[in-house]
Amino acid sequence: MKGYRRADPAFSLCGLCCGLCPMHRGGHCPGCGGGEGHQSCAFIRCSRERGAAEFCSQCAQYPCPRFAQAMEYDSFLPHRNMVRDLERFASMGAEAFRAELDEKSSLLETLLAHYNDGRRKQLFTTAVYLLPLPELRQTLAALDAECADVSCVRDRAALAAQRLAAAAQAAGLELKLRKKPKIPSI
């Protein structure tokens, strides 16, 4: 959106962690309020109309129906943690939340650099986004130890997918994006 800027484009005003988004990481989107190339956003328009709150959770009408609808389906990132992440940001503080986001970003880089066979980017992104940081650390440490002698990237990718799926299942999470159903054309 033209002229819209935020101090930290890696964490959006609606609660998405743009810093983990494949579009942002790939240089295709500057993140929330990052300047040129930022996509049109109903949340930004709404915020501007209601006094330009830094986060939706600071609005008197939060959570509004628009917010609930946005959490129903995912885009490049899971939307189901928007409320949780806004609450965690408020309780932890910006610095601690940003440090956690930076660590998750680093863990995602590790997965993509050492365990991606070219077909796991979305799975790894979704896992890092949804899994709590302690479980991610533990899973990656075990994976590093288990894969120390595995040279085939396809085998490392399969092991990483299995370990992340097991961690997600133990946490009661599903590592799939919830896509909006396509309406059949007539």
Side-chain angles (χ1 to χ4, degrees), residues 31 73 87 121 126 137 141 154:
Y73 298 109
E87 290 171 357
K121 185 177 181 179
T126 303
R137 286 183 194 129
R154 186 178 303 138

Side-chain angles (χ1 to χ4, degrees), residues 93-157:
E95 191 174 313
F97 189 87
R98 181 58 185 179
E100 188 174 289
L101 182 56
D102 288 345
E103 186 175 352
K104 279 190 163 202
S105 182
S106 177
L107 293 173
L108 179 56
E109 281 299 317
T110 298
L111 282 166
L112 294 172
H114 301 289
Y115 298 96
N116 189 19
D117 60 0
R119 303 174 344 156
R120 313 288 177 154
K121 185 177 181 179
Q122 188 62 62
L123 172 70
F124 293 165
T125 299
T126 303
V128 168
Y129 199 95
L130 292 176
L131 286 167
L133 191 51
E135 282 81 352
L136 278 172
R137 286 183 194 129
Q138 182 179 13
T139 302
L140 259 65
L143 192 57
D144 286 345
E146 189 175 359
C147 290
D149 296 326
V150 179
S151 60
C152 177
V153 71
R154 186 178 303 138
D155 293 341
R156 287 194 316 266

Side-chain angles (χ1 to χ4, degrees), residues 1 4 6 13-14 32 38-70:
M1 297 206 51
Y4 181 73
R6 290 175 46 86
L13 85 118
C14 69
C32 184
H38 188 263
Q39 301 298 308
S40 177
C41 176
F43 289 103
I44 294 171
R45 276 192 305 283
C46 181
S47 174
R48 284 180 159 178
E49 291 167 4
R50 289 176 173 73
E54 185 71 9
F55 297 100
C56 287
S57 57
Q58 298 169 334
C59 178
Q61 294 155 355
Y62 170 82
C64 65
R66 171 180 286 134
F67 202 87
Q69 288 173 348

Side-chain angles (χ1 to χ4, degrees), residues 84-94 96-97:
R84 182 202 74 181
D85 287 343
L86 283 169
E87 290 171 357
R88 289 183 66 249
F89 179 87
S91 68
M92 293 172 70
F97 189 87

